[in-house]
Amino acid sequence: INSDGVFLKVTRPSGRGAQAAERGVLEKLALRGVSQFDPALVARVVKHADGEYIRVGEFAFNQAAQSTLMVDIADQEMKAYLTLSPPGRGGADLSAEEIRSLLAANGVAHGIKEEVIQRLIDRPQYNERILVAEGDRPANGRDAVVEYNFKVRREVELREKNGRVDFKELDLVQNVEAGQLVARKLPREEGKPGRTVTGRTLPAKPGKDTEIEIGKNVKLSEDGMSALATINGQVLLAAGKINVEPVYTVEGDVNLKTGNILFLGTVFVKGSVEDGFTVKAAGNIEVMGSVGKCLLDAEGEIIVHQGILGKIEGRIRAGKNVVSKFIEHARVEVEEDVVVSDGIIHSFVDANHRIICQGRRASIVGGRLRATEEIHAKSFGSVAGTETILEVGLDPKRKEELSRALERRGVLEKRLEELERNLRTLENLKKVMRQLPEDKAGDLAKLSDERSKALAELEEANGTIQRINAHLASLKVVGKVSASD
């Protein structure tokens, strides 16, 4: 009810709710002292229930009995409450516009809850303190954060392989390459200012800034927002600073405690490498103790102070030299020299340059040793007549590659002979029958395809053989075997 008349709004029920009854409307009108209304129009409004206010009658407006509004601003101007008084006889309800005007007159200019005002229009709540406006509190800016691209804390994570937990693959070393991103900074945020219900701005505190702390072998980007490794190695956080270490040190043995090691630098083992473990390094590997039935693979040198006990399955590969006290029952492959002091026993050793045994017990007994330039020891073989094979003068790696290529060529030539026989048989049959049955025609096409592939592979094998023979022919080295005793 307002000064313009009596307005009625009827809404549809939701779910299984009951429809509004005309009798309920008439009761509400009587309670408000409304007698001048159109009953037929009221009935239509109830029936259609369109959810809109429709003017259904006249009203003798008494301004003195009108509903009143009291506004209360609280919580340091962050909240505004209103309290409505019920209208008296002939008094009108406040409209949404009147409520907004009264709020503005009392200084409420921000955060007004329109849904609350609309609810009060439809279902007035009298003499109750109702929250009608709420300010926005300032959101302080987020502090700058450094995100690390590696695990700051080393935690052992066991992997499952073929249904079994692999206790050797512990991934304790975190490798990075030169130029790799190791950390980045998320910049601080300025924050979002707030506003009170009276419209006063509340400043927000900006987040605190921080810097990426760097140590050895790490550099910052020009804007200081990223940290990059300058070398290959192990990345770690020490005293809050990011470091990339070129050497990974194992304080004791390589065993179940350390797991297998894969490192993009040099590995230094203060103890021994136990049976069944793997150490791979992009730099050197140095072991103060001994090496058992293991795999050691280094792009640089491998130095073993107490010797290699390969137990037939041990494998050592180095991009440069291997230096050890002794080598026993192991397979060794190096790009340069193998140097030992106490001898090589029943091992397979390939060196692109030299195999040198120097020392009081520098003997080579059993196995097969191949070197391009020289094999030297105090003595070769044994009194018991143990077969000891020494080969010099040829690049052992290329020679083995040549052997594989020659074997492959032999297999391909035999296969081609067989294919040619089968193809001739089918082609002769085609001449006699003029047109082959579908299955035979399919066999002919398949055999032709196989012959084309075999010819291509044979050409590749011949090319490999020619290339290796040319390389071996170009070698100027005169291989030698020398025994000082």
Side-chain angles (χ1 to χ4, degrees):
I1 296 174
N2 62 34
S3 57
D4 293 330
V6 178
F7 292 81
L8 174 64
K9 177 168 118 177
V10 180
T11 58
R12 296 180 186 278
S14 61
R16 295 185 179 180
Q19 291 185 344
E22 188 178 342
R23 187 201 296 180
V25 173
L26 296 174
E27 288 176 355
K28 289 205 172 202
L29 290 169
L31 281 171
R32 295 300 300 273
V34 177
S35 58
Q36 298 178 22
F37 62 88
D38 184 344
L41 182 57
V42 168
R44 284 202 303 274
V45 172
V46 172
K47 181 180 179 182
H48 292 294
D50 290 332
E52 294 183 4
Y53 279 106
I54 307 295
R55 190 174 184 279
V56 295
E58 300 290 340
F59 179 68
F61 175 54
N62 180 7
Q63 191 169 2
Q66 186 176 2
S67 176
T68 59
L69 172 70
M70 186 176 71
V71 178
D72 177 24
I73 297 174
D75 194 15
Q76 297 180 329
E77 299 183 14
M78 293 303 293
K79 292 180 180 178
Y81 296 88
L82 61 78
T83 306
L84 284 175
S85 67
R89 193 81 175 172
D93 298 311
L94 292 174
S95 66
E97 290 74 16
E98 288 173 322
I99 293 175
R100 293 190 196 99
S101 297
L102 288 167
L103 288 172
N106 283 272
V108 180
H110 176 72
I112 296 171
K113 298 177 181 289
E114 290 294 334
E115 70 279 6
V116 172
I117 294 175
Q118 191 58 50
R119 190 170 66 245
L120 286 171
I121 299 303
D122 290 343
R123 296 178 182 84
Q125 293 173 260
Y126 299 118
N127 299 323
E128 290 185 23
R129 197 166 179 253
I130 299 165
L131 180 66
V132 72
E134 195 165 9
D136 299 322
R137 297 192 180 275
N140 292 334
R142 187 196 64 197
D143 294 343
V145 178
V146 176
E147 284 190 346
Y148 299 99
N149 282 16
F150 58 93
K151 293 179 183 176
V152 175
R153 291 181 58 194
R154 293 188 186 184
E155 295 178 350
V156 175
E157 294 182 7
L158 297 177
R159 294 181 179 177
E160 198 170 302
K161 192 175 182 180
N162 298 326
R164 299 178 63 184
V165 175
D166 190 345
F167 288 96
K168 295 176 183 176
E169 296 296 339
L170 303 182
D171 284 341
L172 293 178
V173 181
Q174 297 187 79
N175 290 299
V176 293
E177 298 178 356
Q180 184 174 330
L181 179 74
V182 293
R184 66 189 183 101
K185 184 173 81 170
L186 300 179
R188 68 175 183 174
E189 293 179 351
E190 292 301 319
K192 185 179 179 182
R195 286 180 71 188
T196 66
V197 293
T198 59
R200 183 165 54 88
T201 300
L202 299 174
K205 292 181 180 179
K208 295 178 181 177
D209 200 6
T210 189
E211 301 297 331
I212 303 177
E213 299 287 338
I214 61 170
K216 296 182 292 183
N217 305 312
V218 180
K219 68 175 183 179
L220 289 175
S221 60
E222 289 185 7
D223 58 6
M225 301 299 287
S226 303
L228 308 168
T230 58
I231 62 168
N232 294 351
Q234 174 193 201
V235 61
L236 46 86
L237 194 67
K241 294 184 177 181
I242 305 168
N243 296 274
V244 176
E245 298 288 349
V247 177
Y248 178 66
T249 302
V250 180
E251 293 297 331
D253 297 339
V254 174
N255 51 26
L256 284 173
K257 185 178 178 181
T258 63
N260 294 333
I261 294 171
L262 171 63
F263 186 55
L264 294 179
T266 292
V267 176
F268 179 65
V269 181
K270 291 187 176 180
S272 300
V273 182
E274 295 184 3
D275 289 350
F277 287 89
T278 299
V279 180
K280 294 183 179 181
N284 302 330
I285 297 174
E286 184 171 359
V287 181
M288 297 303 293
S290 61
V291 170
K293 184 176 68 176
C294 311
L295 169 61
L296 264 60
D297 191 334
E299 296 301 317
E301 298 187 342
I302 295 178
I303 302 168
V304 183
H305 290 259
Q306 296 299 321
I308 299 167
L309 290 159
K311 300 176 186 177
I312 301 174
E313 295 180 30
R315 296 181 67 86
I316 310 294
R317 194 206 72 80
K320 291 186 178 178
N321 305 310
V322 168
V323 180
S324 179
K325 189 174 183 180
F326 62 85
I327 300 173
E328 184 175 328
H329 289 102
R331 291 180 175 272
V332 180
E333 180 185 332
V334 302
E335 293 296 325
E336 295 183 7
D337 297 341
V338 174
V339 180
V340 297
S341 59
D342 284 5
I344 302 173
I345 302 168
H346 297 291
S347 296
F348 292 84
V349 181
D350 287 343
N352 271 1
H353 290 176
R354 303 178 301 160
I355 299 172
I356 305 294
C357 287
Q358 290 180 326
R360 286 186 304 162
R361 294 174 293 193
S363 59
I364 294 176
V365 179
R368 185 203 69 201
L369 288 84
R370 302 186 295 191
T372 305
E373 298 175 10
E374 178 184 5
I375 300 176
H376 171 82
K378 188 175 181 180
S379 63
F380 299 110
S382 69
V383 179
T386 304
E387 183 179 62
T388 306
I389 302 170
L390 311 175
E391 297 180 16
V392 293
L394 289 177
D395 181 338
K397 199 181 249 186
R398 297 291 188 277
K399 186 180 177 187
E400 196 159 310
E401 192 180 344
L402 178 62
S403 297
R404 288 197 299 268
L406 288 168
E407 185 180 345
R408 178 65 179 156
R409 183 171 71 177
V411 170
L412 287 168
E413 286 174 344
K414 285 184 179 179
R415 176 65 180 148
L416 277 167
E417 286 178 12
E418 183 183 346
L419 288 169
E420 292 290 353
R421 279 198 305 271
N422 292 335
L423 280 167
R424 278 197 299 271
T425 301
L426 287 172
E427 285 168 354
N428 289 334
L429 185 62
K430 185 179 180 180
K431 288 177 183 177
V432 173
M433 300 179 67
R434 294 191 179 181
Q435 186 172 357
L436 288 172
E438 189 176 339
D439 59 334
K440 297 295 183 185
D443 290 341
L444 181 62
K446 186 178 177 182
L447 289 171
S448 297
D449 187 46
E450 286 185 25
R451 180 177 62 179
S452 299
K453 289 180 180 177
L455 285 169
E457 289 183 34
L458 180 62
E459 186 178 351
E460 185 182 347
N462 283 328
T464 301
I465 291 166
Q466 290 175 4
R467 176 173 51 80
I468 296 172
N469 280 330
H471 167 73
L472 295 176
S474 68
L475 292 175
K476 306 295 182 183
V477 176
V478 178
K480 62 180 179 181
V481 174
S482 57
S484 59
D485 205 25

